[in-house]
mmCIF file with all atom_site columns, all heavy atoms in Angstrom:
data_model
loop_
_atom_site.group_PDB
_atom_site.id
_atom_site.type_symbol
_atom_site.label_atom_id
_atom_site.label_alt_id
_atom_site.label_comp_id
_atom_site.label_asym_id
_atom_site.label_entity_id
_atom_site.label_seq_id
_atom_site.pdbx_PDB_ins_code
_atom_site.Cartn_x
_atom_site.Cartn_y
_atom_site.Cartn_z
_atom_site.occupancy
_atom_site.B_iso_or_equiv
_atom_site.pdbx_formal_charge
_atom_site.auth_seq_id
_atom_site.auth_comp_id
_atom_site.auth_asym_id
_atom_site.auth_atom_id
_atom_site.pdbx_PDB_model_num
ATOM 1  N N   . ALA A 1 39 ? 15.827 -13.147 -51.423 1.00 93.00 ? 39 ALA A N   1
ATOM 2  C CA  . ALA A 1 39 ? 17.251 -13.402 -50.982 1.00 93.00 ? 39 ALA A CA  1
ATOM 3  C C   . ALA A 1 39 ? 18.081 -13.624 -52.195 1.00 93.00 ? 39 ALA A C   1
ATOM 4  O O   . ALA A 1 39 ? 19.213 -13.076 -52.153 1.00 93.00 ? 39 ALA A O   1
ATOM 5  C CB  . ALA A 1 39 ? 17.223 -14.578 -50.034 1.00 93.00 ? 39 ALA A CB  1
ATOM 6  N N   . ASN A 1 40 ? 17.679 -14.320 -53.150 1.00 92.00 ? 40 ASN A N   1
ATOM 7  C CA  . ASN A 1 40 ? 18.498 -14.548 -54.330 1.00 92.00 ? 40 ASN A CA  1
ATOM 8  C C   . ASN A 1 40 ? 18.776 -13.295 -55.071 1.00 92.00 ? 40 ASN A C   1
ATOM 9  O O   . ASN A 1 40 ? 19.906 -13.014 -55.495 1.00 92.00 ? 40 ASN A O   1
ATOM 10 C CB  . ASN A 1 40 ? 17.841 -15.559 -55.310 1.00 92.00 ? 40 ASN A CB  1
ATOM 11 C CG  . ASN A 1 40 ? 17.870 -16.906 -54.743 1.00 92.00 ? 40 ASN A CG  1
ATOM 12 O OD1 . ASN A 1 40 ? 18.649 -17.319 -53.889 1.00 92.00 ? 40 ASN A OD1 1
ATOM 13 N ND2 . ASN A 1 40 ? 16.996 -17.863 -55.288 1.00 92.00 ? 40 ASN A ND2 1
ATOM 14 N N   . VAL A 1 41 ? 17.812 -12.431 -55.192 1.00 92.00 ? 41 VAL A N   1
ATOM 15 C CA  . VAL A 1 41 ? 18.004 -11.154 -55.942 1.00 92.00 ? 41 VAL A CA  1
ATOM 16 C C   . VAL A 1 41 ? 18.939 -10.230 -55.174 1.00 92.00 ? 41 VAL A C   1
ATOM 17 O O   . VAL A 1 41 ? 19.849 -9.535  -55.681 1.00 92.00 ? 41 VAL A O   1
ATOM 18 C CB  . VAL A 1 41 ? 16.632 -10.479 -56.302 1.00 92.00 ? 41 VAL A CB  1
ATOM 19 C CG1 . VAL A 1 41 ? 16.855 -9.088  -56.803 1.00 92.00 ? 41 VAL A CG1 1
ATOM 20 C CG2 . VAL A 1 41 ? 15.877 -11.316 -57.243 1.00 92.00 ? 41 VAL A CG2 1
ATOM 21 N N   . THR A 1 42 ? 18.844 -10.336 -53.776 1.00 91.00 ? 42 THR A N   1
ATOM 22 C CA  . THR A 1 42 ? 19.701 -9.544  -52.995 1.00 91.00 ? 42 THR A CA  1
ATOM 23 C C   . THR A 1 42 ? 21.163 -10.004 -53.108 1.00 91.00 ? 42 THR A C   1
ATOM 24 O O   . THR A 1 42 ? 22.027 -9.143  -53.258 1.00 91.00 ? 42 THR A O   1
ATOM 25 C CB  . THR A 1 42 ? 19.269 -9.626  -51.544 1.00 91.00 ? 42 THR A CB  1
ATOM 26 O OG1 . THR A 1 42 ? 17.979 -9.184  -51.405 1.00 91.00 ? 42 THR A OG1 1
ATOM 27 C CG2 . THR A 1 42 ? 20.117 -8.814  -50.579 1.00 91.00 ? 42 THR A CG2 1
ATOM 28 N N   . ILE A 1 43 ? 21.315 -11.223 -53.019 1.00 89.00 ? 43 ILE A N   1
ATOM 29 C CA  . ILE A 1 43 ? 22.729 -11.828 -53.241 1.00 89.00 ? 43 ILE A CA  1
ATOM 30 C C   . ILE A 1 43 ? 23.237 -11.528 -54.665 1.00 89.00 ? 43 ILE A C   1
ATOM 31 O O   . ILE A 1 43 ? 24.465 -11.124 -54.759 1.00 89.00 ? 43 ILE A O   1
ATOM 32 C CB  . ILE A 1 43 ? 22.730 -13.367 -52.984 1.00 89.00 ? 43 ILE A CB  1
ATOM 33 C CG1 . ILE A 1 43 ? 22.477 -13.621 -51.472 1.00 89.00 ? 43 ILE A CG1 1
ATOM 34 C CG2 . ILE A 1 43 ? 24.068 -13.966 -53.379 1.00 89.00 ? 43 ILE A CG2 1
ATOM 35 C CD1 . ILE A 1 43 ? 22.278 -15.119 -51.225 1.00 89.00 ? 43 ILE A CD1 1
ATOM 36 N N   . PHE A 1 44 ? 22.383 -11.593 -55.625 1.00 85.00 ? 44 PHE A N   1
ATOM 37 C CA  . PHE A 1 44 ? 22.843 -11.405 -57.059 1.00 85.00 ? 44 PHE A CA  1
ATOM 38 C C   . PHE A 1 44 ? 23.210 -9.923  -57.162 1.00 85.00 ? 44 PHE A C   1
ATOM 39 O O   . PHE A 1 44 ? 24.185 -9.593  -57.859 1.00 85.00 ? 44 PHE A O   1
ATOM 40 C CB  . PHE A 1 44 ? 21.707 -11.627 -57.919 1.00 85.00 ? 44 PHE A CB  1
ATOM 41 C CG  . PHE A 1 44 ? 22.006 -11.677 -59.419 1.00 85.00 ? 44 PHE A CG  1
ATOM 42 C CD1 . PHE A 1 44 ? 22.841 -12.632 -59.949 1.00 85.00 ? 44 PHE A CD1 1
ATOM 43 C CD2 . PHE A 1 44 ? 21.568 -10.717 -60.212 1.00 85.00 ? 44 PHE A CD2 1
ATOM 44 C CE1 . PHE A 1 44 ? 23.192 -12.662 -61.280 1.00 85.00 ? 44 PHE A CE1 1
ATOM 45 C CE2 . PHE A 1 44 ? 21.953 -10.666 -61.557 1.00 85.00 ? 44 PHE A CE2 1
ATOM 46 C CZ  . PHE A 1 44 ? 22.713 -11.681 -62.049 1.00 85.00 ? 44 PHE A CZ  1
ATOM 47 N N   . SER A 1 45 ? 22.473 -8.985  -56.523 1.00 85.00 ? 45 SER A N   1
ATOM 48 C CA  . SER A 1 45 ? 22.824 -7.579  -56.636 1.00 85.00 ? 45 SER A CA  1
ATOM 49 C C   . SER A 1 45 ? 24.068 -7.156  -55.925 1.00 85.00 ? 45 SER A C   1
ATOM 50 O O   . SER A 1 45 ? 24.685 -6.122  -56.177 1.00 85.00 ? 45 SER A O   1
ATOM 51 C CB  . SER A 1 45 ? 21.673 -6.733  -56.145 1.00 85.00 ? 45 SER A CB  1
ATOM 52 O OG  . SER A 1 45 ? 21.493 -6.865  -54.757 1.00 85.00 ? 45 SER A OG  1
ATOM 53 N N   . MET A 1 46 ? 24.559 -8.002  -55.059 1.00 83.00 ? 46 MET A N   1
ATOM 54 C CA  . MET A 1 46 ? 25.806 -7.637  -54.324 1.00 83.00 ? 46 MET A CA  1
ATOM 55 C C   . MET A 1 46 ? 27.054 -7.840  -55.205 1.00 83.00 ? 46 MET A C   1
ATOM 56 O O   . MET A 1 46 ? 28.102 -7.276  -54.893 1.00 83.00 ? 46 MET A O   1
ATOM 57 C CB  . MET A 1 46 ? 25.970 -8.596  -53.087 1.00 83.00 ? 46 MET A CB  1
ATOM 58 C CG  . MET A 1 46 ? 25.042 -8.274  -51.991 1.00 83.00 ? 46 MET A CG  1
ATOM 59 S SD  . MET A 1 46 ? 25.461 -9.375  -50.636 1.00 83.00 ? 46 MET A SD  1
ATOM 60 C CE  . MET A 1 46 ? 23.977 -9.133  -49.630 1.00 83.00 ? 46 MET A CE  1
ATOM 61 N N   . GLY A 1 47 ? 26.881 -8.464  -56.375 1.00 75.00 ? 47 GLY A N   1
ATOM 62 C CA  . GLY A 1 47 ? 28.004 -8.648  -57.278 1.00 75.00 ? 47 GLY A CA  1
ATOM 63 C C   . GLY A 1 47 ? 28.100 -7.413  -58.236 1.00 75.00 ? 47 GLY A C   1
ATOM 64 O O   . GLY A 1 47 ? 28.740 -7.636  -59.210 1.00 75.00 ? 47 GLY A O   1
ATOM 65 N N   . ARG A 1 48 ? 27.526 -6.318  -57.925 1.00 72.00 ? 48 ARG A N   1
ATOM 66 C CA  . ARG A 1 48 ? 27.543 -5.199  -58.814 1.00 72.00 ? 48 ARG A CA  1
ATOM 67 C C   . ARG A 1 48 ? 26.709 -5.418  -60.036 1.00 72.00 ? 48 ARG A C   1
ATOM 68 O O   . ARG A 1 48 ? 26.825 -6.446  -60.677 1.00 72.00 ? 48 ARG A O   1
ATOM 69 C CB  . ARG A 1 48 ? 28.946 -4.730  -59.153 1.00 72.00 ? 48 ARG A CB  1
ATOM 70 C CG  . ARG A 1 48 ? 29.729 -4.176  -57.968 1.00 72.00 ? 48 ARG A CG  1
ATOM 71 C CD  . ARG A 1 48 ? 31.057 -3.677  -58.506 1.00 72.00 ? 48 ARG A CD  1
ATOM 72 N NE  . ARG A 1 48 ? 31.727 -4.580  -59.358 1.00 72.00 ? 48 ARG A NE  1
ATOM 73 C CZ  . ARG A 1 48 ? 32.526 -5.669  -58.969 1.00 72.00 ? 48 ARG A CZ  1
ATOM 74 N NH1 . ARG A 1 48 ? 32.597 -5.909  -57.705 1.00 72.00 ? 48 ARG A NH1 1
ATOM 75 N NH2 . ARG A 1 48 ? 33.141 -6.393  -59.823 1.00 72.00 ? 48 ARG A NH2 1
ATOM 76 N N   . ILE A 1 49 ? 25.867 -4.421  -60.331 1.00 72.00 ? 49 ILE A N   1
ATOM 77 C CA  . ILE A 1 49 ? 25.048 -4.608  -61.564 1.00 72.00 ? 49 ILE A CA  1
ATOM 78 C C   . ILE A 1 49 ? 25.881 -4.048  -62.736 1.00 72.00 ? 49 ILE A C   1
ATOM 79 O O   . ILE A 1 49 ? 26.078 -2.925  -62.887 1.00 72.00 ? 49 ILE A O   1
ATOM 80 C CB  . ILE A 1 49 ? 23.763 -3.759  -61.415 1.00 72.00 ? 49 ILE A CB  1
ATOM 81 C CG1 . ILE A 1 49 ? 22.964 -4.227  -60.179 1.00 72.00 ? 49 ILE A CG1 1
ATOM 82 C CG2 . ILE A 1 49 ? 22.875 -3.918  -62.656 1.00 72.00 ? 49 ILE A CG2 1
ATOM 83 C CD1 . ILE A 1 49 ? 21.807 -3.460  -59.848 1.00 72.00 ? 49 ILE A CD1 1
ATOM 84 N N   . ALA A 1 50 ? 26.528 -5.013  -63.465 1.00 67.00 ? 50 ALA A N   1
ATOM 85 C CA  . ALA A 1 50 ? 27.471 -4.638  -64.462 1.00 67.00 ? 50 ALA A CA  1
ATOM 86 C C   . ALA A 1 50 ? 26.936 -5.226  -65.783 1.00 67.00 ? 50 ALA A C   1
ATOM 87 O O   . ALA A 1 50 ? 26.596 -6.407  -65.853 1.00 67.00 ? 50 ALA A O   1
ATOM 88 C CB  . ALA A 1 50 ? 28.870 -5.041  -64.222 1.00 67.00 ? 50 ALA A CB  1
#
Side-chain angles (χ1 to χ4, degrees):
N40 288 344
V41 172
T42 302
I43 293 171
F44 189 72
S45 66
M46 287 183 196
R48 290 182 317 275
I49 303 170

